[in-house]
Amino acid sequence: MTGHQLTHLRQLEAESIHIFREVASEFEKPVMLYSIGKDSSVLLHLARKAFYPSPIPFPLLHVDTTWKFREMIEFREKIVKEYGLDLLVHINPDGVEQGVGPFTHGSALHTDIMKTEGLKQALNQYKFDAAFGGARRDEEASRAKERIFSFRTETHRWDPKNQRPELWNTYNARVKPGESIRAFPLSNWTELDIWQYIYLEDIPIVPLYFAKERPVVERDGMLIMVDDDRMPLNEGEVPDMKSVRFRTLGCYPLTGAVESTAATLPEIIQEMLVARTSERQGRMIDKDQSGSMERKKQEGYF
Amino acid sequence: MKAHLDQNHGDIEAYLKSQEEKGMLRFITCGSVDDGKSTLIGRLLWDSKMLFEDQLATLASESKRVGTQGGNIDYALLMDGLQAEREQGITIDVAYRFFATDKKKFIVADTPGHEQYTRNMVTGASTADLAVILIDARKGILTQTMRHSFLVSLLGIKHIILAINKMDLVAYDEKVFKEIETAYLKFAEQLAFETITPIPLSALNGDNVISHSENTPWYTGPTLISHLEAVEVDEDLAAKPFRLPVQWVNRPNLDFRGYSGTIASGIIRKGDGIVEPASGQTSTVKEIVTFDGNLDEAVAGQAVTLTLNDEIDISRGDTLCALQKRPATADQFEAKLVWMSDEALLPSRNYIIKLGTTTTSARVTALKYKINVNTLEHTAATTLQLNEIGVCNFALDKAISFDPYLENRKTGSFILIDRFTNATVGAGVIDFALRRADNIHWQSVDIHKEARSAQKGQKSAALWFTGLSGSGKSTIANQLEKKLHAMGKHTYLLDGDNVRHGLNKDLGFTDADRVENIRRVGETAKLFVDAGLITLVSFISPFRSERQMARGLLDEGEFLEVFVDTPLAVCEERDIKGLYAKARAGEIKNFTGIDSAYEEPENAEIIIDGANTDAEDAADEIIKILAEKGMI
Ligand SMILES: Nc1nc2c(ncn2[C@@H]2O[C@H](COP(=O)(O)OP(=O)(O)O)[C@@H](O)[C@H]2O)c(=O)[nH]1
């Protein structure tokens, strides 16, 4: 032993940087999907590290559903300016035209049109052949088997039965015109790793992750924050002011808050360590039944 | 495994500090179906609190629905991530799982024990530093145990935990445990493991998983977790010679030129000398650049950017190496190859090879033998099927740098990719460089191709006629040659049938032989083109990749694919040589169009409608095209 062993976070960091560099070298038109959440914050941080002192050699893409928390958009604008990023924002114009939203169309249809379809539109429009995402294998059972370079057909489908074997850190980057890969540099990180790394590296994240008094109403057992006046309230219903935070961020009507007083990173991590609820539970999209995520992925949801 | 639980508020920052020092271990679990792999991993996740309430709720309801534990929690369901697999009740792919204790983070590759899934095991083992090999105490060592052990040793894993599971079902009998241990140690002598640690377990009841079991008072070795935490798998990558495969040239502006990559092995310090062995260029390290500031020293595993003191020409695919102890640089090597595709390996076919950050073209020049993964016996072979392993000689399109896999897993391993489907079809570990290539130098000649062509008043080229048997290839080629000859052009016609009587008379009609057939004809055509001749090749050449290979032998614009497009029905009706009748009767095997595929050209330069054009007209058409291209 020479004392040259890297810690687990440094090993994970190096692996992610390696993946970023492979994709940037092997593909003609990569893009990084930027969802503004904590995983995206870590992803962005790693991308800046990977290419330093060069700027990130590809654009970021945010598929906006028009229902994101306002603080997310503010944060996005701030970060883009501060780091001088090349950010593309795509909103599904058909969805806007049809007035699609979670309250009028239900969460499934809303997500399908504004997120899944929106993403496909953007990928097709710009002809990206590789898209970075912040998914982790510990998030959900079907992700545990997904490759780091995850092949997608021309119609953006994932075929779990027909994945390319992935050995060592040698990634097969060959695609035909129209086909693409999703690359997941955070595959081997866990939620705890992410929080520890954010703490270690002092990475900025959206303030919604920290507890604060916020106006919430209860819907189907979830605490939904009233982020703007599009939230339909029952007659006489007044949102409660509660100290809450979010473990995951998405469209505000679909994202449950947890009651908490954790207002600093160590407090969040501590809460997380004693928590027994996995993070996707805060997202309505996964709640229907197990296997639903796998189906969505096959259809091209990230 | 009280890992990270119930931290008091005040301690959390100290706790976080301590967690930053944590190491990491990647391991693989292997066993036969039902040995208890999934149960074991489920338990490790459960005990390290990596299962959450909602996952538990899903698990409980799923256990009732499809579980095998009579309504009790079936941990195995956790591991069977994909829905389709869940219904079959068998894991068919590699799943990666994570858990952590206070000392280490673990990444577990869970791989199936089922017969046909060697490729998944090899995949999981490629990134693992330790293997947990499960054995059902009632069954002892099975064929699969030997196979799994061989595969993990092939992939360079040095540390084995022999998890003798289901001890509860053999009354925790020490004798059973010892017998299995002894038998395994004997078998494993041939496999070069550094440590083998046998542990008596019950994955279901938790015996010796985390704490010592009262049921096995006779066992004094470590528990599974304490061994995983303590094991030192660091094969001392830092002590090996420095290697940095360049991934990306970092050029933010004209004043900065850096080479970005992950250090595969060794240590690099500011001022150290380096060499790029393929070109022999040397320099010294000016700076070790990272986002977090320049470093004085960087070690194996770190992703860095190096700047050099000299302007030398380095690009992606090159390797920066220590001046002493350079890697091999060669265009031929011997390697063990694991075949991972449903379509068999075809020696002589060109595959894309990716080794580190280098991508080039490679083919198998000799398949020396196959290794039977169950008995480790060697048998002669002409091809490799899915999940077979062979020892092969490879020839590459250019010389590249590498180390034997035994010395360096990062710089001694490669994948093979099919040129057409882009599938990853094989994975290889290099044994050693073959030096022969170094001793055959190209003879440079003064009179070259252009001179020879010019003397004949033409531009030499290969016209490659492809199409089904009976499509009219040879007739058209014949007509064309007559006409060109009459015009005073210098030609040669290479006909499939004729070549098979001489040069290729040792070849049959298996896929492997067909590929070799085409390769030889391609090389011959290349020589004739070099001699300045307009070379007509009339060969069924059913596979796209082989025609592509032939195309690749010639220079840009010298290879014209002529697709004689005649429907199978028409060819079969013509059946000039009576071959279709025989094939239909089963007297000829592997007959193109009948029981062997014909892959139509996608970008042929010339297409002849063979059913509706007579040979004269076809020949005239081709002459017109040659004239247009300025070749005659
Ligand atoms: N009695 C007993 N049963 C076990 C033990 N480990 C696993 N099993 C059972 O063996 C069966 C197969 O286990 P599973 O984990 O699915 O095996 P896998 O195919 O290797 O993943 C299940 O019914 C388990 O409950 C053990 O230590 N003792």
Side-chain angles (χ1 to χ4, degrees):
Chain A
M1 181 78 194
T2 50
H4 286 113
Q5 192 90 355
L6 302 179
T7 65
H8 81 290
L9 288 177
R10 293 299 166 215
Q11 287 189 50
L12 291 170
E13 176 186 71
E15 179 182 70
S16 303
I17 289 175
H18 183 85
I19 295 162
F20 267 116
R21 290 171 173 171
E22 277 303 284
V23 173
S25 307
E26 293 249 31
F27 290 85
E28 271 167 32
K29 238 190 146 196
V31 67
M32 182 180 130
L33 303 180
Y34 179 68
S35 70
I36 321 175
K38 64 180 195 312
D39 300 302
S40 283
S41 290
V42 169
L43 202 59
L44 178 58
H45 187 72
L46 291 164
R48 295 175 68 218
K49 285 197 172 196
F51 303 106
Y52 176 87
S54 291
I56 299 175
F58 41 78
L60 275 60
L61 170 68
H62 180 223
V63 178
D64 195 348
T65 61
T66 74
W67 290 87
K68 300 291 172 196
F69 290 94
R70 282 173 304 163
E71 277 185 79
M72 289 172 72
I73 305 300
E74 281 165 22
F75 180 85
R76 182 187 79 190
E77 294 310 309
K78 192 181 109 205
I79 290 290
V80 164
K81 209 160 135 225
E82 202 171 311
Y83 297 157
L85 303 170
D86 175 10
L87 172 83
L88 307 165
V89 176
H90 182 82
I91 302 176
N92 181 347
D94 308 338
V96 173
E97 197 173 308
Q98 293 160 30
V100 171
F103 297 120
T104 43
H105 293 71
S107 70
L109 196 63
H110 165 72
T111 304
D112 184 49
I113 295 177
M114 298 309 289
K115 193 165 173 177
T116 311
E117 274 311 309
L119 173 61
K120 286 190 205 169
Q121 277 173 354
L123 295 177
N124 288 340
Q125 180 185 329
Y126 295 102
K127 300 201 174 0
F128 292 121
D129 54 0
F132 293 101
R136 289 177 277 112
R137 284 170 173 160
D138 77 325
E139 277 178 74
E140 199 267 334
S142 79
R143 289 212 199 278
K145 297 186 178 185
E146 186 158 9
R147 306 296 188 245
I148 289 174
F149 275 38
S150 187
F151 180 77
R152 298 300 147 102
T153 63
E154 254 176 298
T155 53
H156 304 289
R157 287 183 75 91
W158 179 58
D159 181 358
K161 290 269 175 225
N162 196 17
Q163 299 197 79
R164 295 172 174 175
E166 202 162 77
L167 296 100
W168 302 287
N169 59 358
T170 312
Y171 304 105
N172 179 346
R174 317 259 327 167
V175 293
K176 293 182 185 161
E179 296 171 346
S180 62
I181 63 137
R182 304 283 163 88
F184 299 117
L186 304 180
S187 286
N188 289 326
W189 296 59
T190 62
E191 189 184 10
L192 182 59
D193 297 329
I194 293 285
W195 282 118
Q196 285 182 354
Y197 189 70
I198 289 173
Y199 178 69
L200 181 70
E201 296 275 304
D202 204 7
I203 300 171
I205 53 173
V206 183
L208 290 162
Y209 285 109
F210 300 103
K212 203 180 116 179
E213 296 265 312
R214 297 188 171 95
V216 292
V217 294
E218 202 176 312
R219 292 282 185 277
D220 295 329
M222 294 209 315
L223 287 178
I224 301 297
M225 176 173 158
V226 182
D227 196 42
D228 60 33
D229 54 16
R230 290 180 295 178
M231 174 95 206
L233 297 176
N234 299 329
E235 246 191 67
E237 188 180 31
V238 186
D240 285 331
M241 289 305 285
K242 281 193 173 142
S243 178
V244 294
R245 64 180 183 91
F246 294 86
R247 304 188 56 205
T248 166
L249 294 179
C251 295
Y252 84 79
L254 302 177
T255 309
V258 290
E259 287 196 63
S260 162
T261 55
T264 66
L265 276 174
E267 284 168 2
I268 289 174
I269 296 175
Q270 180 166 27
E271 263 193 19
M272 201 223 133
L273 293 176
V274 287
R276 299 297 310 273
T277 307
S278 82
E279 73 184 284
R280 289 201 149 255
Q281 206 185 33
R283 280 189 206 170
M284 279 184 153
I285 174 171
D286 292 332
K287 283 193 79 178
D288 23 6
Q289 83 200 70
S290 73
S292 68
M293 187 56 138
E294 187 187 334
R295 235 180 12 254
K296 292 205 172 70
K297 278 165 62 88
Q298 287 181 26
E299 286 157 12
Y301 173 85
F302 202 75
Chain B
M1 203 175 350
K2 58 237 170 275
H4 56 60
L5 262 213
D6 306 328
Q7 302 297 327
N8 299 327
H9 188 90
D11 289 338
I12 185 73
E13 300 204 18
Y15 168 78
L16 285 172
K17 201 91 219 117
S18 75
Q19 290 303 292
E20 283 166 15
E21 302 305 315
K22 197 142 104 173
M24 189 154 95
L25 175 70
R26 297 176 192 243
F27 68 92
I28 178 174
T29 53
C30 19
S32 309
V33 181
D34 283 345
D35 282 352
K37 258 192 337 284
S38 310
T39 310
L40 183 66
I41 298 173
R43 174 168 287 279
L44 292 173
L45 300 183
W46 163 276
D47 285 330
S48 68
K49 314 292 181 219
M50 290 302 283
L51 289 183
F52 298 111
E53 294 293 356
D54 56 337
Q55 291 176 329
L56 282 174
T58 310
L59 189 60
S61 71
E62 296 270 301
S63 293
K64 288 210 185 74
R65 199 165 65 84
V66 291
T68 57
Q69 292 301 306
N72 291 332
I73 297 262
D74 188 346
Y75 293 112
L77 286 179
L78 256 188
M79 305 307 301
D80 296 342
L82 297 186
Q83 208 173 19
E85 294 177 17
R86 212 172 287 179
E87 265 120 53
Q88 291 170 8
I90 177 168
T91 316
I92 58 163
D93 207 324
V94 192
Y96 294 92
R97 286 288 166 182
F98 307 87
F99 70 97
T101 67
D102 282 344
K103 298 206 181 98
K104 258 187 199 165
K105 166 180 169 132
F106 298 96
I107 301 180
V108 190
D110 178 44
T111 58
H114 211 262
E115 189 96 24
Q116 60 265 49
Y117 296 118
T118 296
R119 87 171 197 182
N120 296 328
M121 235 209 77
V122 167
T123 303
S126 70
T127 50
D129 290 313
L130 176 146
V132 175
I133 296 185
L134 267 106
I135 291 186
D136 184 331
R138 296 169 303 174
K139 298 184 187 150
I141 296 174
L142 304 176
T143 307
Q144 280 99 321
T145 316
M146 303 201 244
R147 171 170 50 229
H148 296 150
S149 303
F150 168 65
L151 291 175
V152 301
S153 90
L154 178 75
L155 272 288
I157 293 177
K158 297 268 177 276
H159 303 276
I160 300 293
I161 292 179
L162 193 64
I164 303 181
N165 190 33
K166 304 198 187 182
M167 286 301 294
D168 53 317
L169 299 181
V170 295
Y172 299 100
D173 185 351
E174 182 179 9
K175 210 171 115 252
V176 175
F177 175 77
K178 284 286 175 208
E179 271 168 20
I180 295 172
E181 172 179 3
T182 311
Y184 188 83
L185 291 178
K186 184 159 186 334
F187 156 77
E189 271 167 15
Q190 48 191 326
L191 294 179
F193 296 130
E194 280 171 20
T195 68
I196 299 176
T197 310
I199 304 177
L201 290 177
S202 169
L204 198 62
N205 303 334
D207 298 280
N208 294 325
V209 175
I210 293 158
S211 45
H212 277 102
S213 167
E214 289 168 11
N215 295 317
T216 53
W218 45 265
Y219 176 71
T220 53
T223 64
L224 180 65
I225 285 294
S226 64
H227 184 63
L228 285 174
E229 281 187 335
V231 69
E232 200 46 77
V233 296
D234 179 22
E235 50 170 324
D236 242 347
L237 272 180
K240 294 181 185 234
F242 175 73
R243 306 277 185 262
L244 181 129
V246 175
Q247 282 187 285
W248 193 69
V249 178
N250 200 332
R251 286 227 77 178
N253 54 58
L254 291 176
D255 300 328
F256 187 97
R257 185 182 188 92
Y259 305 103
S260 300
T262 307
I263 302 176
S265 61
I267 300 179
I268 191 80
R269 295 185 186 85
K270 228 173 109 170
D272 280 356
I274 56 98
V275 60
E276 199 295 296
S279 60
Q281 306 172 89
T282 60
S283 185
T284 49
V285 175
K286 184 169 158 205
E287 293 165 306
I288 305 171
V289 178
T290 79
F291 182 85
D292 302 297
N294 290 359
L295 307 175
D296 288 332
E297 169 184 298
V299 298
Q302 279 182 285
V304 295
T305 298
L306 300 187
T307 59
L308 304 177
N309 283 315
D310 304 272
E311 279 205 17
I312 60 177
D313 181 22
I314 286 171
S315 48
R316 175 176 167 83
D318 291 340
T319 311
L320 303 181
C321 300
L323 285 172
Q324 270 77 42
K325 298 191 220 150
R326 299 182 186 193
T329 299
D331 60 0
Q332 298 195 31
F333 54 72
E334 184 197 285
K336 299 194 185 71
L337 177 67
V338 182
W339 197 248
M340 303 190 147
S341 164
D342 289 325
E343 237 183 273
L345 161 77
L346 296 183
S348 304
R349 176 179 282 197
N350 265 300
Y351 294 96
I352 295 163
I353 184 171
K354 187 170 180 193
L355 188 152
T357 59
T358 308
T359 303
T360 183
S361 183
R363 63 194 170 82
V364 170
T365 50
L367 174 49
K368 301 172 123 179
Y369 54 86
K370 295 200 278 215
I371 303 175
N372 180 323
V373 291
N374 298 325
T375 61
L376 311 192
E377 278 166 5
H378 300 171
T379 44
T382 53
T383 178
L384 293 176
Q385 306 287 342
L386 176 65
N387 289 322
E388 288 188 331
I389 297 172
V391 172
C392 314
N393 286 352
F394 280 86
L396 277 55
D397 266 11
K398 60 170 193 197
I400 62 171
S401 305
F402 55 84
D403 292 290
Y405 189 72
L406 272 181
E407 284 170 27
N408 198 321
R409 291 173 77 184
K410 290 262 155 54
T411 53
S413 54
F414 62 87
I415 60 170
L416 290 185
I417 301 169
D418 184 281
R419 283 184 174 282
F420 291 88
T421 63
N422 286 333
T424 302
V425 292
V429 297
I430 298 179
D431 293 329
F432 45 77
L434 294 169
R435 295 286 163 204
R436 200 160 24 106
D438 290 351
N439 303 327
I440 305 174
H441 295 290
W442 279 102
Q443 195 62 45
S444 68
V445 288
D446 292 332
I447 305 298
H448 46 71
K449 178 162 63 188
E450 285 69 28
R452 296 187 199 100
S453 291
Q455 191 186 45
K456 299 179 177 64
Q458 60 192 36
K459 201 177 155 303
S460 67
L463 286 130
W464 193 280
F465 289 77
T466 171
L468 293 166
S469 173
S471 60
K473 293 181 300 296
S474 300
T475 321
I476 295 170
N478 222 340
Q479 275 297 337
L480 179 62
E481 188 174 30
K482 275 202 259 176
K483 286 182 188 259
L484 288 170
H485 189 78
M487 291 164 72
K489 300 299 165 194
H490 298 249
T491 59
Y492 191 81
L493 175 58
L494 275 163
D495 184 85
D497 288 345
N498 297 348
V499 174
R500 276 194 177 274
H501 286 297
L503 177 64
N504 289 355
K505 80 172 163 205
D506 56 325
L507 299 177
F509 289 88
T510 62
D511 283 354
D513 280 356
R514 281 171 187 260
V515 175
E516 176 60 12
N517 187 31
I518 299 297
R519 189 190 68 81
R520 291 186 197 170
V521 172
E523 290 285 2
T524 309
K526 182 188 161 115
L527 292 174
F528 286 175
V529 170
D530 204 45
L533 300 177
I534 296 173
T535 311
L536 316 181
V537 183
S538 170
F539 262 67
I540 298 176
S541 46
F543 302 129
R544 246 171 242 142
S545 48
E546 280 70 58
R547 296 190 301 264
Q548 184 65 34
M549 168 176 81
R551 185 186 288 271
L553 291 171
L554 292 151
D555 287 342
E556 188 74 31
E558 277 178 7
F559 184 93
L560 303 176
E561 197 166 346
V562 183
F563 176 30
V564 183
D565 185 6
T566 313
L568 177 65
V570 176
C571 298
E572 195 166 355
E573 199 183 291
R574 289 179 186 161
D575 204 7
I576 305 154
K577 301 172 195 159
L579 297 174
Y580 282 96
K582 282 192 189 161
R584 287 283 182 208
E587 289 163 38
I588 309 178
K589 291 270 169 256
N590 295 324
F591 194 78
T592 301
I594 306 298
D595 55 354
S596 183
Y598 179 79
E599 299 169 0
E600 290 192 0
E602 280 168 346
N603 306 306
E605 276 80 3
I606 302 172
I607 299 175
I608 304 292
D609 176 357
N612 304 307
T613 317
D614 76 27
E616 280 258 4
D617 294 346
D620 287 337
E621 205 176 311
I622 296 169
I623 284 176
K624 211 172 110 221
I625 292 171
L626 292 180
E628 277 166 16
K629 289 189 184 286
M631 302 186 116
I632 51 176

